[in-house]
Amino acid sequence: MTTKPIVLRLGSVSYAQEAWKELEKIATVVVADSPNREQFLKDLKGKYSNVQYITRTFASANQTGLFDKELIDQLPDSLIAIAHNGAGYDQVDAHSLIPKKIQLSNVPSLVDNATADTHVFLLLGALRNFGDGHHRLLDGKWPSNPRVAGAEVANDPEGKTVGIVGLGGIGRNILKKLKPFGFEKFIYHNRNRLPEDQEDGAEYVSFDELLAKSDIISINIPLNPKTKHLFNEQVFEKVKKGVVIINTARGAVIDETAFIKYLKNGTIRAAGLDVLENEPNANMELVSLPNVLALPHMGTHSYETIKKMEEFVVENVKTVIETGKVISIVPEQKGLDLSK
């Protein structure tokens, strides 16, 4: 009798129950019940010591902590792959998995549409100063200030330059969605220039040129040691006065202490944020500023997107069970022999 491979599931499933039922035909699914990181590390040496596959959600970090080197060093030798439910996987140290020959997959493109929709909402809202108007409406300031409750006059898209930092899948989706609104010009900066057919009319510029020329800066980069606090005091000194900054990538790419300073002194006119540095512990000074329009990380918070992401995680596990390789291996591991 052949023993089914064991899949350890970290985090809840919202809408992909049918996909998980199908997976149970070829695998034994164990739902992790370790209440905290300390117990999880112990269980890796005990009841989870023979798992071959792990799936995890962003929220499961509340249960296990980060998949950092300390945790990865204690993963069982039987583990073949980790399937992460999200495009960003900064909670997992992909490099530390390599010596243990553990594959890491993410959900790279299914989030593009929903995240871009959120980004466009925040960009237009911040540009038009809708966050301040919303705060003033809730604070009862409309009767005493009949004209828009006293909110500052804002700007239209016409004549404005949008600078996109990170013209990847999400960045290109944002560019496509912004074009009908009448912005004058789109520029972008990546580590390397893209092929012309992927630029969709955007002009490649240096990072400093983007800072100097952009009326709106659109941030779409992953979080890693090189991008943490990329947007810091030195960068804010170089931006065009009155710039609007939108971030739906990861909160920690912005130094929030410096950000608050430049939002208060008018260098940055407004911001639209779906991500914060220490989620879910929001910096209330930042999100309460009248020129900040903020959301509690709702970029992919739609039924359709959540379901597709959860199903893709299951498909990654099913595929690696059947073929030995995940579908969407992360860039740090591409081209490496991680077979066991």
Side-chain angles (χ1 to χ4, degrees):
M1 181 177 177
T2 304
T3 304
K4 290 181 180 179
I6 300 172
V7 180
L8 178 65
R9 189 171 77 202
L10 296 171
S12 61
V13 176
S14 298
Y15 306 119
Q17 286 83 2
E18 288 301 315
W20 277 97
K21 284 182 183 177
E22 284 297 309
L23 183 64
E24 287 176 357
K25 293 178 180 179
I26 63 169
T28 299
V29 177
V30 176
V31 179
D33 59 2
S34 311
N36 52 49
R37 181 181 177 91
E38 181 182 5
Q39 186 59 50
F40 182 66
L41 293 176
K42 290 179 181 177
D43 290 340
L44 286 173
K45 304 299 181 184
K47 60 184 179 180
Y48 307 148
S49 62
N50 59 345
V51 300
Q52 284 92 46
Y53 309 97
I54 291 177
T55 67
R56 70 179 306 280
T57 64
F58 187 85
S60 70
N62 296 324
Q63 182 179 9
T64 67
L66 300 178
F67 267 54
D68 52 17
K69 190 174 186 303
E70 178 197 30
L71 188 152
I72 289 169
D73 284 345
Q74 298 186 56
L75 291 173
D77 293 337
S78 57
L79 190 64
I80 294 170
I82 298 170
H84 172 70
N85 186 5
Y89 50 92
D90 46 278
Q91 292 180 336
V92 184
D93 183 351
H95 291 288
S96 291
L97 292 172
I98 294 171
K100 295 180 72 72
K101 290 187 175 292
I102 298 171
Q103 300 174 52
L104 174 63
S105 66
N106 67 335
V107 182
S109 59
L110 297 179
V111 303
D112 291 1
N113 255 320
T115 304
D117 289 346
T118 306
H119 197 99
V120 171
F121 164 79
L122 289 169
L123 189 153
L124 295 174
L127 184 66
R128 290 290 307 278
N129 209 19
F130 289 157
D132 187 26
H134 182 64
H135 285 304
R136 288 170 179 271
L137 181 64
L138 293 179
D139 290 343
K141 293 181 179 179
W142 205 5
S144 58
N145 291 278
R147 182 174 172 80
V148 300
E152 293 289 332
V153 69
N155 298 104
D156 289 327
E158 286 79 11
K160 305 299 184 296
T161 295
V162 178
I164 301 175
V165 182
L167 195 64
I170 293 173
R172 290 195 295 273
N173 198 306
I174 289 167
L175 172 60
K176 179 181 70 176
K177 285 177 162 65
L178 286 178
K179 281 192 171 184
F181 289 97
F183 291 96
E184 182 173 284
K185 188 176 184 180
F186 294 93
I187 58 180
Y188 79 97
H189 180 74
N190 281 16
R191 286 173 296 179
N192 300 294
R193 182 174 179 175
L194 295 172
E196 187 175 346
D197 63 346
Q198 295 181 28
E199 292 180 320
D200 198 11
E203 177 189 347
Y204 179 74
V205 297
S206 70
F207 186 52
D208 282 353
E209 187 176 354
L210 183 143
L211 297 176
K213 291 184 175 180
S214 298
D215 299 295
I216 301 107
I217 295 176
S218 164
I219 301 174
N220 308 282
I221 52 176
L223 176 63
N224 56 48
K226 290 183 179 180
T227 62
K228 183 175 182 180
H229 286 187
L230 174 65
F231 286 84
N232 52 34
E233 185 151 3
Q234 291 72 35
V235 165
F236 296 141
E237 282 290 331
K238 297 177 181 179
V239 299
K240 187 175 183 179
K241 185 171 175 58
V243 69
V244 173
I245 294 180
I246 312 300
N247 185 17
T248 56
R250 283 291 185 264
V253 303
I254 295 177
D255 178 345
E256 290 186 349
T257 300
F259 201 36
I260 291 168
K261 173 183 173 181
Y262 286 85
L263 280 160
K264 284 183 173 181
N265 70 22
T267 299
I268 304 169
R269 185 178 71 73
L273 307 173
D274 187 43
V275 288
L276 298 164
E277 185 165 1
N278 297 303
E279 297 177 17
N281 301 306
N283 184 327
M284 295 309 296
E285 182 182 7
L286 172 61
V287 301
S288 298
L289 291 174
N291 52 345
V292 172
L293 178 59
L295 299 172
H297 205 147
M298 298 180 72
T300 57
H301 195 61
S302 70
Y303 167 80
E304 293 83 1
T305 298
I306 293 169
K307 186 172 186 288
K308 285 188 291 186
M309 290 172 69
E310 290 181 344
E311 289 173 344
F312 190 74
V313 167
V314 175
E315 194 60 30
N316 255 313
V317 175
K318 181 175 180 289
T319 301
V320 71
I321 289 174
E322 294 176 345
T323 71
K325 293 182 180 180
V326 295
I327 302 168
S328 55
I329 198 157
V330 299
E332 293 91 335
Q333 297 184 348
K334 281 185 178 177
L336 300 179
D337 182 7
L338 300 178
S339 56
K340 287 193 172 183

